[in-house]
Amino acid sequence: MPLLIRNGRIITATDDYIADIYCEDQTITRIGKTVEAPPDADSRGMTTIDAAGKFVFPGFIDPHVHIHLPFMGTHAKDTYETASKAALIGGTTTLIEMICPARSDEPLAAFQLWKGKAEGKSACDFTFHMGVTRYDSAAESQLREIVKAGLSSFKIFLAYKGAFGVDDTELFHTLKLAKQLGVIVTAHCENAELVSELQKQLLSEGKTGPQWHESSRPESVEAEGVHHLMTFAEQFGTHIYIVHTSCKPAVQQALMARERGANVWIETLIQYLLLDKTDAERPDFEGSKFVMSPPLRDKRNQRYLWDGLNSGAISTIATDHAPFDFKGQKEMGRDDFTKIPNGIPSLEDRVNLFYTHGVKAGRINLHRFVYAASTQAAKLFGLFPRKGTIAVGSDADLVIYDPAYRGRISASSHHINIDYSAFEGWEIEGRPHAVTVRGQVQVKEGKFVGDATKGKFLTREPNHF
Ligand code: URP
Ligand code: ZN
Ligand code: ZN
């Protein structure tokens, strides 16, 4: 059905102007000062949205989420039914989920399993990074099939040995294959052996609470992981995307590799920009709500991360959404912080928090905001210009954003399926007024009003040769 958006202030990574946008057949077909809809548009059920006084952003992309996630003896709580609607309410129109098979799983079966969890159940568009958690000849030939089937990024873990983590021989072969196939490798960088030994040491000293999680995975452990990975990647020139970078030393290792000529991009998370390690020190085990890996850091890192986003040194802002309830799940680690399921959910709130504490607080401008939360992910992961911008021919994924809105985040009103919010009570200054996915209005005034099965699997071509 046709869609006409009147008088919005259109913001992309490069442009800022007031215009009308007309969409047909799921794409943007015209942009102009005053766009006249075709005479039969009304009889074909055209929707008109008055966007005067509002921003129109390209649909936001979250390039790092977990929805189906068997992890640390439990499962993440969201499904596509809950997560995709919550994402849309928060302005995110495309999800890139990590496929995280167990070492014993076959990659092709895992791809089918994860895809099956999303197909027909997602309200927003989605695709996947293929987790490489084992490398042998069978895995290699299946990975080649998966790339042909439309996934053009891998995910590797240097942490979580015995679960998702690969050893150095597997790392070597994965990076070599990725280069050959033109696939970018996304990577969780922490030295697994150091983490394991530090955990044992802390526990033996009786340090069992969530406040010790950060000490078990200090900044240097993350920086070493980045350095280790880049040393391997540079042997082949493999393109690398370092996920959830939390601190200055880790960013610096990636930037040093970039200076040496490596192709490396850096992701940070909204959690690292706004929360810090003192949150994991909250009493009565409340700190467990703030346990994720890499951990929340000393606050002094935040300025450096904001500056990195501003300068473009840091490319993207994601959520690493990994939702585990406080009751029954985080509580699994009451007597031992190493058993607290890792993850701090933020899928629904990323855009509003980034707008409030980035744009409104004067830390970043509107173009950087769009670039880091949408455009750059689209470019890196083979979705641009279909996604990540507002242009004739692009998918009509649009966020009509109301900067006058004021509200507060709360677990009592959020739409993700989890019993707490790490941002409980935080004020937001702006929210999506309406959100469209390929021309269909999915959200109005904070409510999901659309088609719960509209979302489709986005196939992507390798673009990192
Ligand atoms: O703590 C985290 N980050 N949980 C999700 C799994 C991962 O490492 O991305
Ligand atoms: Zn990770
Ligand atoms: Zn993750």
Side-chain angles (χ1 to χ4, degrees):
M1 284 194 298
L3 170 70
L4 179 61
I5 298 167
R6 287 236 182 261
N7 289 316
R9 183 171 163 199
I10 297 171
I11 309 284
T12 68
T14 48
D15 299 316
D16 181 349
Y17 58 102
I18 292 177
D20 295 348
I21 302 174
Y22 183 72
C23 313
E24 286 239 33
D25 295 331
Q26 320 215 22
T27 59
I28 297 169
T29 53
R30 288 161 68 194
I31 303 175
K33 195 115 198 75
T34 312
V35 172
E36 291 307 328
D40 66 343
D42 276 329
S43 64
R44 288 187 290 121
M46 181 172 74
T47 303
T48 304
I49 298 176
D50 177 13
K54 300 189 173 60
F55 296 117
V56 185
F57 297 127
F60 293 98
I61 299 171
D62 194 336
H64 181 174
V65 302
H66 301 271
I67 296 166
H68 175 59
L69 178 65
F71 186 44
M72 296 186 73
T74 185
H75 278 79
K77 276 292 298 296
D78 270 314
T79 60
Y80 267 86
E81 282 93 339
T82 53
S84 64
K85 287 182 197 155
L88 285 168
I89 288 166
T92 295
T93 54
T94 298
L95 299 177
I96 312 186
E97 189 190 2
M98 302 290 176
I99 296 178
C100 297
R103 274 185 81 79
S104 53
D105 292 342
E106 292 307 322
L108 260 174
F111 172 47
Q112 294 305 342
L113 174 71
W114 259 260
K115 191 145 116 17
K117 298 265 176 200
E119 260 169 348
K121 297 169 195 109
S122 183
C124 67
D125 286 351
F126 57 90
T127 178
F128 304 93
H129 302 297
M130 184 62 216
V132 181
T133 52
R134 187 188 88 233
Y135 196 97
D136 53 25
S137 62
E140 181 192 316
S141 64
Q142 292 178 48
L143 290 168
R144 289 177 184 275
E145 287 302 306
I146 290 165
V147 172
K148 279 190 203 137
L151 297 198
S152 59
S153 46
F154 291 160
K155 169 71 184 286
I156 51 168
F157 293 88
L158 303 192
Y160 312 134
K161 285 270 161 70
F164 306 137
V166 288
D167 65 27
D168 281 353
T169 308
E170 293 171 313
L171 177 63
F172 180 91
H173 289 292
T174 306
L175 295 172
K176 191 172 170 191
L177 177 70
K179 179 64 187 174
Q180 208 184 90
L181 298 177
V183 157
I184 188 168
V185 177
T186 73
H188 175 137
C189 297
E190 286 181 300
N191 183 303
E193 280 73 23
L194 262 170
V195 171
S196 154
E197 292 310 313
L198 289 171
Q199 284 179 333
K200 281 187 226 159
Q201 190 176 305
L202 288 159
L203 291 176
S204 74
E205 291 165 2
K207 295 171 175 167
T208 58
Q211 69 272 31
W212 298 106
H213 177 68
E214 206 270 341
S215 313
S216 73
R217 321 173 88 102
E219 293 177 12
S220 53
V221 164
E222 186 183 344
E224 196 283 333
V226 175
H227 181 262
H228 189 86
L229 171 74
M230 292 316 302
T231 306
F232 277 67
E234 284 171 68
Q235 307 311 313
F236 308 109
T238 313
H239 292 200
I240 297 290
Y241 176 89
I242 300 176
V243 300
H244 50 38
T245 314
S246 70
C247 60
K248 183 172 175 180
V251 174
Q252 281 176 326
Q253 284 299 331
L255 295 181
M256 280 159 65
R258 199 181 277 170
E259 265 180 40
R260 296 192 297 270
N263 288 296
V264 55
W265 290 269
I266 302 166
E267 169 194 276
T268 193
L269 309 179
I270 193 69
Q271 295 93 316
Y272 298 135
L273 293 172
L274 300 177
L275 304 171
D276 67 78
K277 69 176 188 177
T278 62
D279 286 301
E281 293 166 8
R282 294 193 197 188
D284 301 326
F285 198 59
E286 211 205 324
S288 65
K289 296 175 182 173
F290 300 88
V291 166
M292 67 174 300
S293 296
L296 298 178
R297 299 299 189 190
D298 189 290
K299 214 173 176 49
R300 68 181 151 70
N301 287 287
Q302 291 178 350
R303 174 76 193 271
Y304 184 80
L305 297 176
W306 280 109
D307 286 350
L309 282 164
N310 228 338
S311 68
I314 297 176
S315 307
T316 57
I317 178 156
T319 63
D320 190 12
H321 183 69
F324 298 99
D325 273 341
F326 178 70
K327 285 250 163 295
Q329 290 191 301
K330 292 285 186 183
E331 283 180 339
M332 290 160 62
R334 222 177 232 290
D335 303 319
D336 175 350
F337 71 87
T338 68
K339 297 195 166 62
I340 299 170
N342 286 198
I344 305 178
S346 58
L347 178 59
E348 190 167 345
D349 303 315
R350 172 187 66 134
V351 171
N352 293 332
L353 287 167
F354 194 36
Y355 178 81
T356 303
H357 294 275
V359 177
K360 281 286 295 190
R363 291 188 173 109
I364 50 163
N365 68 33
L366 283 162
H367 301 298
R368 278 282 164 208
F369 168 73
V370 170
Y371 174 85
S374 178
T375 313
Q376 180 65 332
K379 289 187 173 176
L380 285 173
F381 299 119
L383 293 169
F384 190 85
R386 182 175 173 194
K387 308 287 189 191
T389 194
I390 297 176
V392 170
S394 294
D395 281 358
D397 295 353
L398 299 164
V399 177
I400 296 97
Y401 200 82
D402 181 3
Y405 177 83
R406 295 291 177 270
R408 281 188 193 279
I409 295 171
S410 175
S412 61
S413 54
H414 69 196
H415 300 82
I416 50 174
N417 183 29
I418 173 146
D419 66 1
Y420 77 96
S421 170
F423 299 97
E424 187 67 42
W426 284 51
E427 195 181 347
I428 49 166
E429 301 185 13
R431 76 160 181 195
H433 164 77
V435 179
T436 70
V437 175
R438 285 176 283 106
Q440 160 118 24
V441 178
Q442 294 285 70
V443 170
K444 257 195 222 159
E445 303 282 355
K447 292 201 169 47
F448 182 77
V449 295
D451 172 356
T453 61
K454 170 81 183 173
K456 75 173 183 199
F457 171 53
L458 304 169
T459 57
R460 302 178 288 122
E461 295 286 323
N463 61 340
H464 287 276
F465 291 99

